[in-house]
């Protein structure tokens, strides 16, 4: 088997319920932005950043994603992690797919609904050279859910500002930095090896890992970053991308 130094995983199994009519007959991954599916945007971005071994998890209209990948000659070895029997959520999906990247040193995870010009290759190389176990790519932007980090950029908690609800790694902290998760993260490929295969949020798994592992905030400030979370955002994102490009 070919040994890949890095693997990219695209989280594409979500139901896309917030996109309403856009996902009535197709998965979120195949919703188009300026005539190109989100999945294609993501695959091409990863390949241009040097990733040629890619894992994609599928659930909602999963066969459509499989057929799309098979009908395109992407310059990458693409493997499918099939969750059509049970949706595993963002963390459980990584645990389930672990055998598909066990021959890599590191794994870069990218949500399929994120479009940006983040230099993924540079970040991955910096992470490889670090002694950290995972980097959560973060931003200083408004959102109701924030990751909480100490003065050493170590993950210590999570909060939902709207509900005033907190989750802590260990004890409650008074002083911390709030950062928004970007939908991208990179980790050593064996980091999730000891978790059982079950549906779970990746943030919950990182909060558990942070008790013993170095789970670090890596701030990014890209030229553009878009998250297609609601159908109403589609036109605005398309217009802004047209201006940028």
């Amino acid at each position: 088997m070919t040994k890949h130094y890095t693997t990219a995983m695209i989280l594409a199994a979500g139901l896309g319920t917030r996109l309403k009519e856009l996902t009535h007959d197709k998965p979120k991954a195949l919703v188009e932005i300026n005539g190109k599916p989100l999945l294609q945007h993501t695959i091409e971005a990863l390949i241009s950043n040097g990733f040629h071994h890619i894992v994609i998890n599928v659930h909602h209209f999963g066969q459509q994603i499989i057929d799309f990948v098979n009908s395109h000659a992407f310059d990458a070895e693409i493997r499918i992690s099939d969750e059509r029997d049970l949706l595993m959520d963002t963390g459980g999906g990584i645990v389930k797919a672990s055998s598909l990247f066990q021959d890599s040193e590191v794994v870069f995870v990218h949500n399929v609904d994120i479009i940006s010009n983040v230099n993924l290759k540079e970040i991955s190389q910096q992470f490889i050279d670090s002694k950290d176990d995972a980097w959560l790519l973060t931003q200083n932007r408004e959102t109701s859910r924030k990751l909480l980090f100490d003065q050493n950029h170590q993950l210590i908690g999570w909060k939902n500002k709207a509900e005033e609800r907190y989750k802590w790694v260990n004890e409650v902290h008074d002083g911390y930095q709030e950062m928004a998760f970007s939908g991208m993260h990179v980790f050593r490929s064996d980091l999730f090896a000891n978790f059982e295969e079950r549906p779970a949020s990746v943030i919950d798994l990182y909060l558990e890992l942070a008790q013993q592992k170095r789970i670090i905030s890596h701030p990014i400030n890209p030229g553009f970053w878009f998250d297609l979370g609601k159908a109403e955002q589609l036109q605005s994102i398309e217009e802004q991308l047209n201006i940028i490009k």
Side-chain angles (χ1 to χ4, degrees):
M1 180 180 291
T2 303
K3 184 173 179 64
H4 300 273
Y5 200 63
T6 58
T7 289
M9 181 172 183
I10 302 173
L11 297 183
L15 299 175
T17 52
R18 291 187 300 157
L19 294 181
K20 301 174 182 177
E21 69 277 0
L22 295 178
T23 52
H24 176 69
D25 58 356
K26 59 178 172 291
K28 175 170 58 175
L30 297 184
V31 171
E32 294 187 353
I33 296 285
N34 288 335
K36 184 185 295 187
L38 286 166
L39 181 61
Q40 187 172 349
H41 281 283
T42 306
I43 292 173
E44 291 177 351
L46 289 167
I47 291 173
S48 69
N49 277 272
F51 293 92
H52 296 280
H53 183 246
I54 299 173
V55 174
I56 305 171
N57 68 339
V58 301
H59 174 77
H60 185 58
F61 291 114
Q63 189 61 46
Q64 291 187 28
I65 294 177
I66 294 170
D67 292 343
F68 176 83
V69 170
N70 290 338
S71 66
H72 288 70
F74 292 113
D75 181 23
E77 177 188 345
I78 298 180
R79 307 286 300 278
I80 298 295
S81 180
D82 195 338
E83 298 179 21
R84 284 177 287 182
D85 289 340
L86 178 64
L87 182 61
M88 300 295 288
D89 204 345
T90 52
I94 293 170
V95 176
K96 181 177 175 64
S98 292
S99 63
L100 299 178
F101 45 72
Q102 63 184 4
D103 293 312
S104 293
E105 297 291 333
V106 301
V107 180
F108 194 108
V109 179
H110 195 300
N111 288 0
V112 76
D113 52 7
I114 301 297
I115 296 180
S116 78
N117 65 344
V118 175
N119 191 328
L120 310 179
K121 183 176 184 179
E122 180 179 67
I123 290 173
S124 296
Q125 187 58 56
Q126 291 172 348
F127 174 74
I128 289 169
D129 295 338
S130 79
K131 296 182 180 180
D132 301 323
D133 296 294
W135 282 1
L136 309 182
L137 275 58
T138 58
Q139 298 167 286
N140 187 13
R141 60 179 174 83
E142 278 304 312
T143 179
S144 62
R145 299 174 183 178
K146 291 290 186 74
L147 297 175
L148 311 179
F149 300 91
D150 67 15
Q151 66 273 18
N152 296 316
H153 312 293
Q154 167 73 16
L155 180 67
I156 58 171
W158 169 95
K159 82 171 184 178
N160 184 318
K161 296 173 66 175
E163 300 175 2
E164 296 188 1
R165 185 162 54 92
Y166 292 79
K167 296 179 182 179
W168 298 102
V169 171
N170 292 306
E171 72 277 3
V172 175
H173 287 255
D174 292 326
Y176 50 77
Q177 181 182 29
E178 299 181 8
M179 297 293 286
F181 184 45
S182 72
M184 295 176 278
H185 51 110
V186 57
F187 59 88
R188 309 290 169 185
S189 60
D190 61 350
L191 184 62
F192 294 88
N194 294 327
F195 285 105
E196 66 173 307
E197 195 173 297
R198 59 177 176 82
S201 158
V202 75
I203 298 302
D204 286 344
L205 298 188
Y206 272 130
L207 290 170
E208 184 173 340
L209 286 165
Q211 296 176 19
Q212 297 178 322
K213 301 290 187 178
R214 288 178 56 82
I215 311 300
I216 303 299
S217 168
H218 184 79
I220 57 172
N221 187 26
F224 66 87
W225 178 94
F226 301 109
D227 173 8
L228 182 59
K230 298 179 181 179
E232 297 77 19
Q233 297 173 302
L234 181 61
Q235 182 177 349
S236 173
I237 292 174
E238 289 184 329
E239 291 174 350
Q240 291 179 71
L241 281 174
N242 284 332
I243 293 171
I244 293 167
K245 298 179 179 181

